Amino acid sequence: MAITLQLDDLPDLARGAALLGTGGGGDPYIGLLLVSAELERGRTITLIDPDEVDDDALVVASAFMGAPTVVIEKIPGGDEPVIALRRLEQHLGRAADAIIPMECGGLNSMVPLLVAARTGLPVVDGDGMGRAFPELQMETFGVYGVSGSPIAICNERKHVTVIDTGPDNHSMEWYARGTTIRMGGVSYIAEYPMTGAQVKRTAIPRTMSLALRLGRVIREAREQHRDPFEALTECLSDTIYQHGRVLLEGKVVDVERRSADGFVRGTARISTFDGSRTVELTFQNEHLVARDGKRLLAIVPDLISVLDAESAAPITTEALRYGQRVRIFAISTPPIMRTPEALEVFGPRAFGLDEDWTPVEELSTV
Amino acid sequence: MAITLQLDDLPDLARGAALLGTGGGGDPYIGLLLVSAELERGRTITLIDPDEVDDDALVVASAFMGAPTVVIEKIPGGDEPVIALRRLEQHLGRAADAIIPMECGGLNSMVPLLVAARTGLPVVDGDGMGRAFPELQMETFGVYGVSGSPIAICNERKHVTVIDTGPDNHSMEWYARGTTIRMGGVSYIAEYPMTGAQVKRTAIPRTMSLALRLGRVIREAREQHRDPFEALTECLSDTIYQHGRVLLEGKVVDVERRSADGFVRGTARISTFDGSRTVELTFQNEHLVARDGKRLLAIVPDLISVLDAESAAPITTEALRYGQRVRIFAISTPPIMRTPEALEVFGPRAFGLDEDWTPVEELSTV
């Protein structure tokens, strides 16, 4: 069913998308401001269910790409992702009928809404990552056979690049990343042009409305003085994400972070207040793995998020600071992200990790 | 007047283009083989005078870009520059009427001929560099107001990128270089789409037929047991290049060379046989400056070439070796390359050199 987004929905959506961003995807706050301004200007944004998309519609994925740290320093004007879409349409010789988020996590939950507000196109309630991932080939669209290219890339100077690598999505990522680095570390993209039928077959469905719901659950739990983490676990249990659990509550005792190769990479260590246990998180834009010594607690593609211990406000990897009191929260990924084809593209090996993937719900928390 | 190139012309053209390549532009030998194969297959290549191009014709510059050293290792299949042209045409929504060499030097004298043979398009007798230069904004087309972008870039895997930076040719170079580096160090491009009227106003005219003539002069001097350097000087005197002179005859005593940032950079030192004088050459793909101690002998954009001391065979910067017996030959650039606008784009300062430009014919050789 189509949803018309209201101004009040946006903070909830941003909060839920930050949770699904697993520390990456960019801080949604900047996007929230831009999208709110569009609604205040009287523009409307419609979320449509994947089932409502015509099989032969042209759907284009919209996002920013680059190091989230840079987005904070180079705030978008708002035209960039629209120009990318228009240039891709020009290249394809056909206008898009709808847009779809590349990733439902972080700022990238907001970028497609901005495009929707400015173009009047509906946004498909779903995405290609089901969370945030650092690279463009890591999308279920590509996992299940859609070509990521041609891709159009635009920066704040309105420089535009169109890259076509045929069905080779790894090469698309390679060139797009190089271009984004030369564009100053952040760019706005239109990619994975596909049919409505392909959307239905390859997208992770209803992740935008899920983000909205998760964000709302956190807010309502706060208002009702309930534990928001319990409320999240309860809410997830009847979704395709199903399992949500707290891995550790404690204090950030160490953060090592650097911008390299166009990504934010690093590790964070979080210890229980009594110092008896320490969990180390490794991230590339997003959290990839949580380990207690050598013991695995959760690993990509399952979601690992760090949230404020009391308010459950999600904290991005670039906002992690010594002394923050947090809980590490893990969420199981939907089945479409756990197939052998999917794990080959965004499982532990794709990030150079040695561990095999094990479903988070089968790992012990203590 | 239109010239139909004959198989016998190609070695002369390649030799002359290697001289005008001033050490860079890539070794024309690979291109010579590819273009010869086209003519042997019965295809024809027509050079047309700039005056013959219709004012409203669409003319596109064709070239390879990247480190010449890499071209030797990654021999082109021949389709790459044609695919780049076709993709640019598709982007522009208009077919090209003619192609023009980006640079008349080195391998880039041959790449447009390959495109001509495969497409049937005529090649305009002229170019945008009047020699070889290492970067895409260093073209008289751009100096005099033509936008280099949109540019199409293709590699041997048929990956294609189209870059549009509006009138900002420096940014075009920046992104194109980054893409070329990620493509493995060499790519094939179609750029500076322009009208025939713009060609007439901005191109350096008749440089392809000049290359052919210079290469022929060297060969004929050898056959007639004349000094080829004297013959070159004589031949140049009634062209827009006008002055040609030997700066030093001697032996290569030192070469320091590295591939960095997508370029071949380094220095070479050449000493007279009695060791009384040493000239140091600094290069970035092409020779940029020749100095005798602190004394300037020739500086970019004037041409500096190293040729075999006896046969006058040009030696590229990546082929320079200790012990080679050579003459350093300098050639003055045409007036269109010596204006303040031109010197701003490809004069000494554009290469980070401290010296002011001084016409080579006003510098003392001893």
Side-chain angles (χ1 to χ4, degrees):
Chain A
M1 211 192 67
I3 305 169
T4 302
L5 283 180
Q6 305 301 318
L7 198 53
D8 287 351
D9 293 331
L10 296 179
D12 289 339
L13 176 55
R15 191 178 306 109
L19 170 62
L20 295 177
T22 72
D27 188 324
Y29 185 67
I30 291 162
L32 174 62
L33 295 181
L34 288 165
V35 177
S36 298
E38 296 293 329
L39 293 190
E40 283 163 2
R41 222 170 270 150
R43 289 174 174 151
T44 58
I45 301 168
T46 307
L47 273 185
I48 56 171
D49 194 88
D51 289 345
E52 293 178 282
V53 183
D54 280 348
D55 276 356
D56 55 2
L58 175 63
V59 183
V60 172
S62 170
F64 89 94
M65 82 177 282
T69 311
V70 178
V71 181
I72 297 171
E73 296 174 7
K74 282 173 67 169
I75 295 180
D79 282 341
E80 301 89 337
V82 178
I83 295 172
L85 173 69
R86 293 309 186 206
R87 194 57 69 91
L88 184 64
E89 288 176 326
Q90 184 193 326
H91 185 83
L92 296 169
R94 186 177 164 188
D97 300 301
I99 50 179
I100 187 166
M102 172 184 88
E103 61 183 351
C104 61
L107 174 57
N108 269 336
S109 65
M110 292 289 158
V111 171
L113 304 185
L114 190 60
V115 176
R118 296 202 172 187
T119 61
L121 290 172
V123 178
V124 179
D125 183 7
D127 76 307
M129 293 184 169
R131 41 168 290 167
F133 277 128
E135 299 183 7
L136 303 186
Q137 80 280 8
M138 295 176 170
E139 305 187 35
T140 49
F141 310 139
V143 166
Y144 299 110
V146 179
S147 282
S149 75
I151 177 177
I153 308 179
C154 181
N155 75 349
E156 77 286 356
R157 297 175 64 192
K158 302 186 181 176
H159 294 159
V160 181
T161 295
V162 177
I163 297 167
D164 191 349
T165 56
D168 180 351
N169 296 337
H170 267 91
S171 290
M172 175 189 76
E173 155 68 25
W174 174 245
Y175 300 127
R177 187 71 47 185
T179 298
T180 297
I181 291 169
R182 292 214 159 197
M183 281 181 169
V186 63
S187 69
Y188 296 81
I189 62 176
E191 48 142 42
Y192 284 94
M194 59 190 140
T195 64
Q198 286 176 312
V199 168
K200 290 170 199 175
R201 187 170 57 78
T202 68
I204 301 145
R206 302 172 196 96
T207 46
M208 292 293 277
S209 53
L210 174 67
L212 180 57
R213 200 171 144 204
L214 294 174
R216 190 177 289 152
V217 157
I218 293 172
R219 176 175 51 78
E220 289 174 352
R222 287 178 195 163
E223 289 165 3
Q224 295 157 11
H225 305 289
R226 271 189 73 193
D227 177 7
F229 293 90
E230 279 176 22
L232 280 175
T233 298
E234 190 184 303
C235 173
L236 285 163
S237 67
D238 72 348
T239 74
I240 53 174
Y241 285 74
Q242 213 168 356
H243 306 280
R245 55 159 64 164
V246 174
L247 300 183
L248 190 88
E249 176 165 0
K251 206 175 79 167
V252 177
V253 295
D254 193 29
V255 181
E256 186 272 310
R257 183 172 40 220
R258 60 196 184 282
S259 286
D261 313 321
F263 299 109
V264 181
R265 295 176 189 271
T267 55
R269 292 194 310 134
I270 296 161
S271 292
T272 51
F273 299 122
D274 64 5
S276 63
R277 284 181 62 205
T278 298
V279 169
E280 184 174 277
L281 304 174
T282 301
F283 52 85
Q284 177 186 348
N285 289 9
E286 288 77 37
H287 294 297
L288 299 177
V289 57
R291 296 186 189 96
D292 180 349
K294 292 194 167 178
R295 201 160 57 79
L296 191 64
L297 298 179
I299 192 163
V300 68
D302 286 330
L303 286 69
I304 301 164
S305 288
V306 177
L307 299 94
D308 180 89
E310 300 305 318
S311 71
I315 301 169
T316 59
T317 51
E318 77 265 8
L320 282 173
R321 299 283 181 277
Y322 175 85
Q324 286 167 333
R325 287 166 176 259
V326 301
R327 291 193 220 181
I328 308 173
F329 193 73
I331 301 176
S332 64
T333 38
I336 190 174
M337 296 174 67
R338 291 176 158 197
T339 63
E341 309 92 286
L343 291 174
E344 198 180 314
V345 174
F346 47 61
R349 294 284 184 283
F351 294 93
L353 298 171
D354 288 332
E355 288 97 337
D356 285 326
W357 176 72
T358 309
V360 63
E361 66 272 21
E362 293 175 15
L363 291 165
S364 127
T365 47
V366 191
Chain B
M1 211 192 66
I3 305 168
T4 302
L5 282 180
Q6 305 301 318
L7 198 53
D8 287 351
D9 293 331
L10 296 178
D12 288 340
L13 176 56
R15 191 179 305 109
L19 170 62
L20 294 177
T22 71
D27 187 324
Y29 185 67
I30 291 162
L32 174 62
L33 295 180
L34 287 166
V35 176
S36 298
E38 296 293 328
L39 292 190
E40 283 163 1
R41 222 170 272 151
R43 289 174 175 151
T44 57
I45 300 168
T46 308
L47 272 185
I48 57 171
D49 195 87
D51 290 344
E52 293 177 281
V53 183
D54 281 348
D55 276 355
D56 54 4
L58 174 63
V59 183
V60 172
S62 170
F64 89 95
M65 82 177 284
T69 310
V70 179
V71 181
I72 297 171
E73 297 174 8
K74 282 172 67 167
I75 295 180
D79 281 341
E80 300 90 336
V82 178
I83 294 172
L85 173 69
R86 294 309 187 205
R87 194 56 68 92
L88 184 64
E89 289 176 326
Q90 184 193 326
H91 185 82
L92 296 167
R94 187 178 163 188
D97 300 300
I99 50 179
I100 187 165
M102 173 185 89
E103 61 183 351
C104 61
L107 173 57
N108 269 336
S109 65
M110 292 290 159
V111 171
L113 304 184
L114 189 60
V115 175
R118 296 202 173 189
T119 62
L121 291 172
V123 178
V124 179
D125 182 9
D127 77 307
M129 292 184 169
R131 43 167 288 169
F133 277 128
E135 299 183 7
L136 302 185
Q137 79 280 9
M138 296 176 168
E139 305 187 35
T140 50
F141 309 139
V143 166
Y144 299 110
V146 179
S147 283
S149 76
I151 176 178
I153 308 178
C154 181
N155 75 349
E156 77 286 356
R157 296 175 64 193
K158 303 188 180 175
H159 293 160
V160 181
T161 296
V162 176
I163 296 167
D164 190 347
T165 56
D168 180 351
N169 296 337
H170 268 91
S171 290
M172 174 189 75
E173 156 66 26
W174 174 245
Y175 300 128
R177 187 71 49 186
T179 298
T180 297
I181 291 169
R182 291 214 161 196
M183 281 180 169
V186 62
S187 68
Y188 295 82
I189 62 176
E191 48 143 41
Y192 283 94
M194 60 191 139
T195 64
Q198 286 176 312
V199 168
K200 290 171 199 174
R201 185 170 59 77
T202 69
I204 302 145
R206 302 172 195 95
T207 46
M208 292 292 278
S209 52
L210 174 67
L212 180 57
R213 200 170 142 204
L214 294 174
R216 190 177 288 153
V217 157
I218 293 173
R219 177 177 50 78
E220 288 174 353
R222 287 177 195 164
E223 287 166 3
Q224 296 157 12
H225 305 288
R226 272 190 72 194
D227 177 6
F229 294 89
E230 280 176 20
L232 281 174
T233 299
E234 191 184 302
C235 173
L236 286 162
S237 68
D238 72 348
T239 73
I240 54 174
Y241 284 75
Q242 215 168 354
H243 306 279
R245 55 159 66 164
V246 174
L247 300 183
L248 190 88
E249 175 165 2
K251 206 175 80 167
V252 178
V253 295
D254 193 31
V255 182
E256 185 271 312
R257 183 172 40 220
R258 61 195 184 283
S259 286
D261 314 320
F263 299 109
V264 181
R265 295 175 189 272
T267 56
R269 292 193 310 133
I270 296 161
S271 292
T272 51
F273 299 122
D274 63 4
S276 64
R277 284 182 63 204
T278 299
V279 170
E280 184 174 279
L281 303 174
T282 301
F283 53 85
Q284 176 186 349
N285 289 10
E286 289 77 38
H287 294 295
L288 299 177
V289 56
R291 296 186 188 95
D292 180 351
K294 292 193 168 181
R295 202 160 56 78
L296 191 64
L297 298 179
I299 191 163
V300 68
D302 286 331
L303 286 68
I304 301 164
S305 289
V306 177
L307 300 93
D308 181 89
E310 300 304 320
S311 70
I315 302 170
T316 59
T317 50
E318 76 265 8
L320 282 173
R321 298 284 181 275
Y322 175 86
Q324 285 167 334
R325 290 165 174 260
V326 301
R327 291 192 221 182
I328 307 173
F329 194 73
I331 302 175
S332 64
T333 39
I336 190 175
M337 296 175 66
R338 292 177 156 197
T339 63
E341 308 92 286
L343 292 173
E344 197 179 314
V345 175
F346 47 61
R349 293 284 184 282
F351 294 93
L353 298 170
D354 289 332
E355 289 96 336
D356 285 328
W357 176 72
T358 311
V360 63
E361 65 274 20
E362 292 175 16
L363 291 165
S364 127
T365 47
V366 190

